[in-house]
Structure formats: C-alpha cells, structure tokens
C-alpha cells in the first residue's frame, strides 16, 4: 500500500456544486496533515492544515479520521477559480513529508 | 522578502553532463527540501535538511547530491545526468519543526535531459 493515496480524478463538476476529495495514509503514527493546491505549471501552495477536530476555512472543510487513516477535503459552492490539482500531504514520521499524487479538479461553467 | 528562489527556471542537459540547481530562501528557515514532480507521480522527496550542516535522503536520492553550508542555500547537484532525471524540480523551506508546518515552494526548475 502506498504511503499516501488519492483518487487522481479528474473530477469535472459544475460551478456551484459541492465536491469532496478523500486521501488515505498507511502509517498510523503520522503526525501532521495538510491539503495543498497546485495550479497548472506552478508551485504547490498550502490550502489548509487538517486538525483532529476538523476545521473550516470559508467554503473549505477538512476532516481527519485517525481510526480509518484518511483525511478529506470538502469544497462547497465551487467556483471556476477552484480548478486546480489538490494534493494531500502527510508528515509520515519525523522529518519526511509525503505528497499524494494529487486529484485534478475541473469546475465547469 | 523574495521567499524561495530557484535558478535556473529551465535547463537542457545532455546525458552525462553534471549541473547544480540553486535554491535560496530569505526567511531564516531551518528546514529545506528538494522534490521532483513527474506526470502522474506527484511530488517525490529527493533530499532534505533540518539545518546547516545536516542533510538526509528522501524517497528518490539516487543520482543527486546536496549540501547545506548555510541556512539560506540548499543546492542540488546532478552528478551525471540521465534522461530519467527529466522532471520539474521544486525546492521548499519551512520553519523549525519543518514537516509540521507550511512548506514554502520555489517556482521550480524544468529540466530536460537528452
């Protein structure tokens, strides 16, 4: 099993829809969890950290389920500008950060 | 603040040539790392450093060397370029406790090895 796995997509959803991404990780001792966003031919940028209690930032909600070893990202009322690749990132143990392969999202007008 | 800078932006090498990709940050970050990104493969960690004088291997270190003589700079050396090293290379930095905090990425270097 890969250390961090994501559905590669692409997800094609109409503007205004709600879209959800899941990510699973293999190491139960993983410490920190993040979602990054990467636009085409650009560097990744932090979208949000994921906390044990779940957290929300505007239209974005992140959840962590340690028992099942997955994290999720929910985007409500999706905008055209949300089109990007979303990367699940896990601090597996200690000093190494592992990126998932990313899920491509296309918001359709 | 310039953040994380990388040079060059683009590079074409012939098989067997060597070169150094430069990475610098002006945020006084202790943790720095190098990734490569290939289509369908996501970002893979090559080498990382938790501070000046300390480096360690990531997932895919073969064919690459690093050193960290200063806090600001973390160059990546390709010893003998191979077509399999054609990729986009990203450098990143973060504050102490690095992996638990936001990673700031440079704009990337697009390398082609022919």
């Amino acid at each position: 099993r890969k250390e961090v796995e994501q559905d590669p997509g692409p997800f094609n959803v109409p503007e205004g829809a709600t879209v959800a991404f899941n990510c699973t990780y293999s190491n139960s001792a993983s410490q920190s969890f993040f979602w990054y966003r990467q636009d085409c031919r650009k560097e990744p940028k932090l979208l949000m950290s994921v906390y044990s209690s779940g957290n929300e930032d505007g239209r974005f909600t992140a959840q962590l389920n340690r028992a099942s070893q997955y994290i999720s990202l929910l985007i409500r009322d999706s905008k055209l500008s949300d089109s990007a690749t979303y990367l699940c990132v896990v601090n597996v143990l200690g000093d190494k950060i592992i990126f998932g392969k990313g899920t491509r999202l296309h918001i359709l007008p | 603040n310039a953040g994380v800078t990388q040079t060059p932006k683009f590079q074409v090498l012939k098989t067997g040539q060597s070169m150094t990709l430069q990475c610098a940050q002006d945020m006084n970050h202790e943790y720095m790392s190098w990734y490569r990104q290939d289509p369908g493969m996501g970002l893979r960690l090559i080498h990382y450093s938790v501070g000046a004088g300390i480096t360690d291997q990531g997932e895919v270190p073969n064919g690459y060397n690093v050193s960290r003589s200063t806090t600001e700079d973390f160059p990546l050396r390709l010893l003998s370029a191979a077509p399999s090293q054609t990729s986009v290379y990203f450098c990143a930095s973060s504050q102490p406790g690095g992996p638990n905090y936001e990673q700031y990425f440079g704009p990337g270097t697009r390398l082609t090895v022919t």
Side-chain angles (χ1 to χ4, degrees), chain A residues 2-62:
Chain A
K2 293 195 188 306
E3 292 192 270
V4 179
E5 290 200 76
Q6 294 182 252
D7 183 338
F11 285 28
N12 298 308
V13 301
E15 195 175 5
T18 296
V19 60
F21 304 133
N22 286 328
C23 167
T24 58
Y25 60 95
S26 60
N27 191 324
S28 59
S30 297
Q31 300 169 344
S32 306
F33 309 88
F34 309 88
W35 284 102
Y36 278 70
R37 170 192 169 128
Q38 185 174 26
D39 294 300
C40 188
R41 301 182 71 80
K42 297 284 191 181
E43 70 271 24
K45 292 187 178 176
L46 180 68
L47 178 66
M48 58 197 302
S49 302
V50 186
Y51 303 119
S52 296
S53 54
N55 46 301
E56 190 173 304
D57 183 2
R59 298 181 293 108
F60 299 85
T61 301

Side-chain angles (χ1 to χ4, degrees), chain A residues 3 31-32 34 36 38 40-46 49 87 91 94-102, chain B residues 10 31 35 37 40-43 45 48 50 57-59 90 98-103 105-107 110:
Chain A
E3 292 192 270
Q31 300 169 344
S32 306
F34 309 88
Y36 278 70
Q38 185 174 26
C40 188
R41 301 182 71 80
K42 297 284 191 181
E43 70 271 24
K45 292 187 178 176
L46 180 68
S49 302
L87 304 167
N91 172 7
D95 296 327
K96 292 185 184 176
I97 308 165
I98 304 296
F99 282 74
K101 293 182 180 180
Chain B
F10 301 93
Y31 186 94
Y35 294 86
Q37 186 172 36
M41 295 295 293
L43 282 96
L45 181 65
Y48 66 97
V50 299
Q57 295 181 349
E59 302 169 84
F90 288 103
N100 294 320
Y101 296 93
E102 178 177 1
Q103 304 295 307
F105 283 85
R110 285 168 172 73

